[in-house]
Amino acid sequence: QRTCGDAGGAGVLRLAIIQLLDKNERVMVSEICDYLPAEQSLVSHHLQNMRTNGILQVEREGRSMYYSLKERGVLRIVECIENCQFES
């Protein structure tokens, strides 16, 4: 079983972040850390990675950074890929 904190769990953490953002319009980093079993530095790293790759967008309000999905259908795409059955 992979956890969000191990190297192989990067996809698990990113998927958990996407699932959280799919249920909420926008979320602060601290709220994500409260929801997930991961250190803030690790969560911030993955948020930045997903932002750089066009999955997330960020809004700054004062000192707070709010993350949201750039496209609301991202989770459906991920679920479709997970459920695909490939023929060999």
Side-chain angles (χ1 to χ4, degrees):
Q1 176 87 358
R2 291 184 175 169
T3 63
C4 294
D6 66 26
V12 173
L13 178 58
R14 290 179 185 163
L15 182 57
I17 292 169
I18 290 171
Q19 289 170 335
L20 178 63
L21 291 172
D22 187 64
K23 294 176 186 171
N24 300 278
E25 179 108 3
R26 61 188 200 148
V27 181
M28 291 190 310
V29 176
S30 61
E31 295 171 319
I32 296 170
C33 292
D34 290 343
Y35 178 77
L36 300 174
E39 297 290 325
Q40 183 170 342
S41 60
L42 182 61
V43 170
S44 294
H45 170 77
H46 288 294
L47 289 170
Q48 180 60 37
N49 184 286
M50 289 190 289
R51 180 180 173 202
T52 300
N53 286 293
I55 296 169
L56 303 181
Q57 58 190 11
V58 65
E59 295 176 53
R60 179 185 290 274
E61 286 185 15
R63 296 182 63 190
S64 299
M65 303 285 280
Y66 290 90
Y67 285 86
S68 60
L69 292 174
K70 202 166 193 178
E71 299 291 333
R72 298 300 300 172
V74 170
L75 185 59
R76 284 182 289 207
I77 293 168
V78 171
E79 288 171 345
C80 180
I81 292 169
E82 287 180 332
N83 293 322
C84 285
Q85 296 183 9
F86 296 99
E87 295 181 26
S88 45

